[in-house]
Amino acid sequence: MSAISGRVRRFLQKPGTTDLSKYRRLLPAVAAQEDELRDVPDEDLAGLAKDAKDLAAFCAVGREAGRRALGERAFDVQLLGTLVMLSGHVAEMATGEGKTLSGALAAAGHAVAGRSVHVMSVNDYLAQRDAEWMGPVYDLLGVTVGWIGQASTPEERRLAYGAQVTYLPVSEAGFDVLRDRLVTDEADIIVPDPDVVLVDEADSVLIDEAMVPLVLAGSADTAEADTAMAVIVRTLRPRMHYEVDDEGRNVALTDAGARSAERALGGIDLYDSANLGTLTRLNVALHAEALLHRDVDYIVRDGKVRLISQSRGREARLQRWPDGLQAAVEAKEGLAATESGEVLDSITIEALVRRYPLVCGMTGTAITVGEELRQFYSLEVAVIPPNRPCVREDEPDRLYATAKQKEDAIVAEVADAHADGRPVLIGTLDIEESERLAAQLDSADLPCVVLNAKNDAAEAAIVAKAGCYGTITVSTQMAGRGTDIRLGGHDENDKERVAGLGGLYVIGTGRHASVRVDDQLRGRAGRQGDPGASVFFVSMEDELVTSYAPDAAPPRETADDGLVSDAAARRAVAHAQRAAEAASLDIHRNTWRYSKLVDDQRGIVLKHRTRMLTTDAAIKALAGRCPGRYEELTGTVDEDVLVTVGRQIVLYHLDRGWADHLAELAEIREGIHLRALGHGPNPFIMSLDPLTEFHKEAVKLFTQLFDQIETAAAETFEAATITADGIDLDAADLKRPSATWTYLVQDNPFGTDFDRALRRLVRGNRK
């Protein structure tokens, strides 16, 4: 970006135009201290970091700590990234530019200023790796560091949170917050008050997964696997018995399909009001059968269905579908049903991050979602230039008429590159495609290594070797893989040989739904000024095109091998990607509008709960409601025991009331569109705004919530047997779940609320 164009963009307040000049002015002062710091003993660096009078002095000490601990002297651009994050922004740094060290120095800078820092990663592996890798740097700077993973015990979590800097997956941070919201003893709280969060892969976490709900459930039971419905839908045929919409998100029975299912169910009328439950189970089973595909949407491992993260192309640990869909997929695969339970509380990733007073982060691709980061988090993006100019050659897309022609062309292209020994990285859209393409390569005597959700435990080793001479690597999405691809291998022994061949060659097998994911794949080549190249092979039959540009005209100019050259077809592909990105943003905004009010209500409840938990307010409230009962008990029960009893009673009913409130809100949101649709002269034209109607209902319910909770608590206080030893919770019917469990919801599997409502009306009017 030129200086003039940069000033113009800043004047227009465009994302990614954060002025770096004030940070650049600090770099000479950092360099001036470098020689002097070389002679400082290790044990004195921590004191210098703590006593640093300005950011330049701290960065100088941080650079020296990195040099001694890791043998890596931070480049000026890495320090720019550190300074940007210390200022509360998101730093966009290209792949291979050293984000991990920049982030560690930023976290240490916040820590020595007296703040508590959580570094959120996308998975357990990266949290542990980065904490241990950067640990020696933190040691020299006098900063304590810990990490948390899925298997961490409560005591291990407490110890890690006690460190000045804590690395952890975003999901574990959310689950710990949810568990803390159910404690009945203040001493059991694990998570400290939120202060600073530094988000790795910030665009992925803050935008792509922002609305993913993290759920805490209780009273877990084993759901019934609906094998009968799975058998029935397996006999149905597409286009005869059911139809799938153009986007592949919705499926509906045809008249013939309904009749076939009714016969299989003993001649019932599916659309009779008495059979609505059966119809729902049938539709869920049909969704599982027709729309969810093994090795695309999920894999089966160790006898369990495991979802695939659409934003990362790997197993989404702990993630599951809602509304019986999980059990339906398990029945489809002939597996035992997993547990299900009542939702006790939930939190979206966006709401989790917004708890922190200061948010910053880093990623390789943030500029294209700069407006969203600004809108939802008040975050600005600073684009950090590379340490060395990028010389990667990004070729125009190669567009083909059919998917088969595209894949044939990919195999031929790989063969040409491999004949010279040039390393090739092939980025696929899903597991099924990666395995199909790997089989084609194998048939062509082109041996490859496959990296997908089925073997992601070995991902670090596979990625590290992707730059070796003669290597062919096939991978699902590369976002968050977290390992550099160095030419010639991790030790770079063969670097010059590979560089002479043109460096790493990245081939995309299709455009993703977001240009950012394409850019993340491209960014694997051309690291630190290395040579490299990238190209995307696309077909008019790709799901992106058929879903988001279904009316695109067939290509007019097609070569014998299927290569398309006419501009209209290329514009259709570009339009499809823009439409997919717009749809994603619309879903985010709409979900945010619904969740914002619920988050506000949750905040009020949590503030009240904290007061009940940490003071004697609960027993005072009960005494006010039940003065006679309170006077009776004070003669036989210690005041401290009564405080505990009051707290147990009130917290139980508060948590019970909030769980019931969430369940009611879920039902209201599910049905609010039906109510809105039904008021106009045309039943398919909305005459009421669903969001407004939802807010009305949610506010009405919430105004009654605390009175209902207090009434229930008072009734328990009056009726329960309370002795000098306290209260028998089971006898008082205050039994909490014997176990709680956590999962993430794959949100909105049946399309939008409007889609679902419309389908129901259509089915209802069919009779």
Side-chain angles (χ1 to χ4, degrees), residues 70 125-139 145-147 167:
L70 308 175
Y125 163 71
L126 290 179
Q128 180 179 357
R129 186 205 68 174
D130 291 352
E132 293 177 344
W133 181 16
M134 296 293 119
V137 179
Y138 287 115
D139 288 342
V145 62
W147 65 272
Y167 284 78

Side-chain angles (χ1 to χ4, degrees), residues 100 118-135 138 145-150 152 160 165-173 200 459 480-482:
T100 305
H118 294 170
V119 181
M120 288 190 185
S121 299
V122 295
N123 57 41
D124 287 22
Y125 163 71
L126 290 179
Q128 180 179 357
R129 186 205 68 174
D130 291 352
E132 293 177 344
W133 181 16
M134 296 293 119
Y138 287 115
V145 62
W147 65 272
I148 291 170
Q150 183 180 333
S152 298
V165 176
T166 308
Y167 284 78
L168 73 169
V170 62
S171 57
E172 290 306 307
D200 194 8
E459 71 172 45
R481 293 292 182 190

Side-chain angles (χ1 to χ4, degrees), residues 446-762:
L446 298 168
C448 64
V449 180
V450 180
L451 175 61
N452 58 36
K454 290 187 175 181
N455 65 342
D456 60 2
E459 71 172 45
I462 294 175
V463 173
K465 296 177 181 177
C468 292
Y469 178 85
T471 300
I472 302 172
T473 306
V474 179
S475 174
T476 49
Q477 296 171 13
M478 291 299 297
R481 293 292 182 190
T483 303
D484 282 347
I485 299 177
R486 299 173 183 263
L487 298 189
H490 189 66
D491 56 10
E492 299 184 288
N493 284 341
D494 227 5
K495 180 174 182 177
E496 295 306 318
R497 183 186 188 191
V498 172
L501 297 172
L504 180 66
Y505 189 16
V506 170
I507 296 176
T509 62
R511 286 287 186 171
H512 296 84
S514 167
V515 71
R516 285 181 296 111
V517 182
D518 294 341
D519 290 343
Q520 288 161 2
L521 177 59
R522 283 194 195 277
R524 290 295 173 166
R527 172 190 174 275
Q528 283 289 324
D530 288 340
S534 72
V535 65
F536 281 83
F537 285 71
V538 186
S539 87
M540 297 300 291
E541 293 180 347
D542 286 357
E543 185 178 352
L544 178 72
V545 179
T546 58
S547 296
Y548 291 96
D551 299 327
R556 292 170 295 181
E557 301 172 18
T558 305
D560 292 341
D561 62 355
L563 187 64
V564 176
S565 56
D566 68 88
R570 292 183 172 277
R571 286 196 297 270
V573 174
H575 168 76
Q577 190 171 51
R578 289 195 300 271
E581 291 179 323
S584 177
L585 176 58
D586 187 58
I587 290 172
H588 188 166
R589 284 175 173 159
N590 192 50
T591 306
W592 181 82
R593 292 185 186 108
Y594 277 96
S595 63
K596 181 65 170 66
L597 177 64
V598 182
D599 287 341
D600 290 343
Q601 293 180 347
R602 180 181 282 108
I604 295 170
V605 170
L606 290 176
K607 185 177 180 180
H608 181 74
R609 192 183 198 282
T610 299
R611 191 163 66 90
M612 297 296 108
L613 178 67
T614 59
T615 70
D616 60 356
I619 192 61
K620 286 182 177 178
L622 291 173
R625 282 256 185 170
C626 314
R629 176 61 165 161
Y630 179 74
E631 289 296 328
E632 171 193 339
L633 290 171
T634 54
T636 58
V637 180
D638 184 277
E639 279 301 41
D640 289 338
V641 173
L642 274 182
V643 169
T644 300
V645 168
R647 184 176 296 146
Q648 290 172 318
I649 292 173
V650 170
L651 289 179
Y652 172 84
H653 286 291
L654 181 63
D655 295 340
R656 174 74 270 159
W658 177 246
D660 291 343
H661 184 67
L662 287 178
E664 288 186 88
L665 292 182
E667 289 185 8
I668 290 171
R669 182 175 175 185
E670 182 71 18
I672 203 71
H673 288 77
L674 288 174
R675 187 184 313 174
L677 281 166
H679 277 68
N682 185 330
F684 295 98
I685 302 298
M686 286 196 175
S687 57
L688 298 175
D689 175 41
L691 180 62
T692 301
E693 295 302 301
F694 174 78
H695 280 182
K696 287 180 181 177
E697 293 292 336
V699 170
K700 179 182 176 182
L701 282 176
F702 193 71
T703 57
Q704 306 166 2
L705 180 62
F706 284 102
D707 184 63
Q708 293 170 348
I709 290 168
E710 290 169 6
T711 299
E715 290 173 354
T716 297
F717 187 60
E718 288 278 11
T721 300
I722 301 172
T723 68
D725 295 326
I727 184 173
D728 184 336
L729 297 176
D730 290 352
D733 200 23
L734 302 182
K735 186 177 181 180
R736 288 180 174 271
S738 57
T740 58
W741 54 295
T742 54
Y743 61 92
L744 291 82
V745 176
Q746 176 75 18
D747 200 26
N748 218 18
F750 296 101
T752 65
D753 293 330
F754 180 82
D755 292 334
R756 297 198 294 272
L758 197 60
R759 290 201 307 278
R760 288 177 187 163
L761 278 177
V762 170

Side-chain angles (χ1 to χ4, degrees), residues 95-322:
T95 301
E97 290 294 314
K99 289 189 292 290
T100 305
L101 178 56
S102 290
L105 294 181
H110 286 301
V112 299
R115 308 198 68 168
S116 172
V117 186
H118 294 170
V119 181
M120 288 190 185
S121 299
V122 295
N123 57 41
D124 287 22
Y125 163 71
L126 290 179
Q128 180 179 357
R129 186 205 68 174
D130 291 352
E132 293 177 344
W133 181 16
M134 296 293 119
V137 179
Y138 287 115
D139 288 342
L140 287 174
L141 295 174
V143 174
T144 57
V145 62
W147 65 272
I148 291 170
Q150 183 180 333
S152 298
T153 66
E155 283 310 308
E156 289 171 337
R157 291 170 190 267
R158 194 183 302 276
L159 185 64
Y161 280 124
Q164 292 168 281
V165 176
T166 308
Y167 284 78
L168 73 169
V170 62
S171 57
E172 290 306 307
F175 294 145
D176 283 342
V177 167
L178 291 174
R179 282 186 284 257
D180 273 1
R181 290 178 179 176
L182 288 183
V183 301
T184 57
D185 188 330
E186 188 178 3
D188 292 334
I189 293 177
I190 290 179
V191 184
D193 290 337
D195 190 3
V196 177
V197 63
L198 192 159
V199 185
D200 194 8
E201 301 293 341
D203 57 330
S204 178
V205 172
L206 299 180
I207 302 301
D208 297 336
E209 300 182 357
M211 289 293 107
V212 172
L214 291 81
V215 175
L216 179 68
S219 301
D221 297 313
T222 300
E224 285 189 24
D226 209 335
T227 53
M229 291 299 178
V231 170
I232 291 172
V233 299
R234 204 171 292 138
T235 66
L236 303 180
R237 295 291 174 260
R239 293 181 295 280
M240 177 188 296
H241 296 121
Y242 62 85
E243 294 178 349
V244 177
D245 69 1
D246 291 336
E247 295 183 2
R249 289 176 60 87
N250 304 306
V251 60
L253 288 168
T254 62
D255 288 347
R259 288 193 297 270
S260 177
E262 287 170 341
R263 287 194 297 271
L265 290 166
I268 69 169
D269 179 355
L270 272 175
Y271 297 95
D272 186 277
S273 59
N275 294 322
L276 286 180
T278 302
L279 178 61
T280 297
R281 287 163 41 225
L282 181 68
N283 279 323
V284 171
L286 182 60
H287 185 104
E289 177 68 26
L291 301 184
L292 297 178
H293 305 292
R294 186 167 175 167
D295 292 341
V296 176
D297 301 292
Y298 65 91
I299 60 174
V300 175
R301 177 187 288 164
D302 301 327
K304 294 183 179 180
V305 169
R306 302 176 186 268
L307 276 66
I308 300 301
S309 168
Q310 297 305 306
S311 62
R312 298 200 188 100
R314 67 187 75 179
E315 179 186 334
R317 294 178 176 85
L318 297 181
Q319 199 158 332
R320 60 183 286 126
W321 288 291

